[in-house]
Amino acid sequence: MSDRVKLVEVGPRDGLQNEPQTIPVAIKAELVERLIACGFKEVEAGAFVSPKWVPQMAGSDAVLAQLSPSTTVSLPVLVPNRRGYEAAREAGAKRIAIFAAASQSFSQKNINATIEESFDRFAPVLEAAAQEGISVRGYVSCVLGCPYEGEINLEKVVSVAHRLYDMGCDEISLGDTIGVGTPNKARTMIREVAKAVPMNNLACHFHDTYGQALANLYACLEEGVRIIDSAVAGLGGCPYAAGASGNVASEDVVYMLDGMGLKTDIDLDRLIETAWWIAKALGRPPNSKLAKARKPL
Ligand code: HMG
Ligand code: MG
């Protein structure tokens, strides 16, 4: 098993999408730049979704425009349909993320479509992306539970993950959207999904609502997962998942991986500084153990 873990920093998108106050484009762009300076090679920079549904992600084109293009750092953006795809491409996105759910009710609330309808929307996006050299990541939400349906059948998770992979997504990110999972359940889930999608193409995207995210990640790392989504300062939450708190904090993940001898090439001190910087911009302390334990002087 590789001793290297790829971290996908989702703070500028998943982290900020739920913030009630309007965050200036300059702050969003600076957050991405600071995260790149910490060593992240993939930073989710925004979302091309309806501004009526998620006002905070309006202006993602302006965020991309402020960032200097890089050949070594990937800046994926969320895209729900063909319209979002066109806008993302025009804004210069080279990597996009489509998002499906293993729960019918969550799909309906989040993107106003059944799971089946969502795949009808994704098909032309994947086709155009393949033609235009844009790579695609795919999310599956509610892999360990749903805010509306509770328990989710594992077969549903496997089937949605497999469909996304089959249609051309090069990475499948498995979202515990409301953070209800526990380690044994996470382990079983990853084992089952890995029978349908190669382990190397799987990412864990765990929210920390119930304080289980690091334990769940540990279980999945033991199974062989080597891609983890996390958010600086533990920012985050989904507007269509009431009570969903932040993503697992990037600095807590990096600390755990360091301790496990797994390499990330992330500068932890700089990451903690970034956590305090964004926390100050949002007017509250960072939501991570490490940032609090090692507050910069
Ligand atoms: P709809 O209302 O069903 O779609 O929304 P519509 O086609 O009828 O369009 C409605 C309006 O939106 C129209 O404008 C469209 O032009 C516009 P109007 O005529 O009313 O002025 N519109 C758009 N505008 C900008 N960009 C677009 C776009 N498409 C249509 N791409 C839609 C359907 C999918 C657009 C909507 O439901 C939506 O934007 N949902 C986004 C929800 C979202 O972003 N959720 C958070 C991200 S997912 C998440 O956080 C989970 C994840 O982190 C993993 C995990 O944790 O599990 C990824
Ligand atoms: Mg999320």
Side-chain angles (χ1 to χ4, degrees), residues 104-151:
Q104 201 64 264
S105 315
F106 184 81
S107 181
Q108 201 67 56
K109 298 264 190 210
N110 194 37
I111 52 173
N112 201 22
T114 63
I115 297 171
E116 215 40 57
E117 285 164 350
S118 73
F119 277 96
D120 293 343
R121 291 177 184 175
F122 299 150
V125 169
L126 265 294
E127 214 171 290
Q131 277 167 15
E132 290 165 335
I134 292 179
S135 67
V136 188
R137 154 175 240 255
Y139 279 105
V140 187
S141 281
C142 302
V143 299
L144 297 173
C146 167
Y148 310 104
E149 294 180 17
E151 288 287 321

Side-chain angles (χ1 to χ4, degrees), residues 149-170:
E149 294 180 17
E151 288 287 321
I152 292 296
N153 190 327
L154 198 41
E155 279 169 27
K156 199 77 221 170
V157 177
V158 174
S159 130
V160 172
H162 185 243
R163 269 179 92 172
L164 287 170
Y165 182 65
D166 222 33
M167 71 200 294
C169 295
D170 57 27

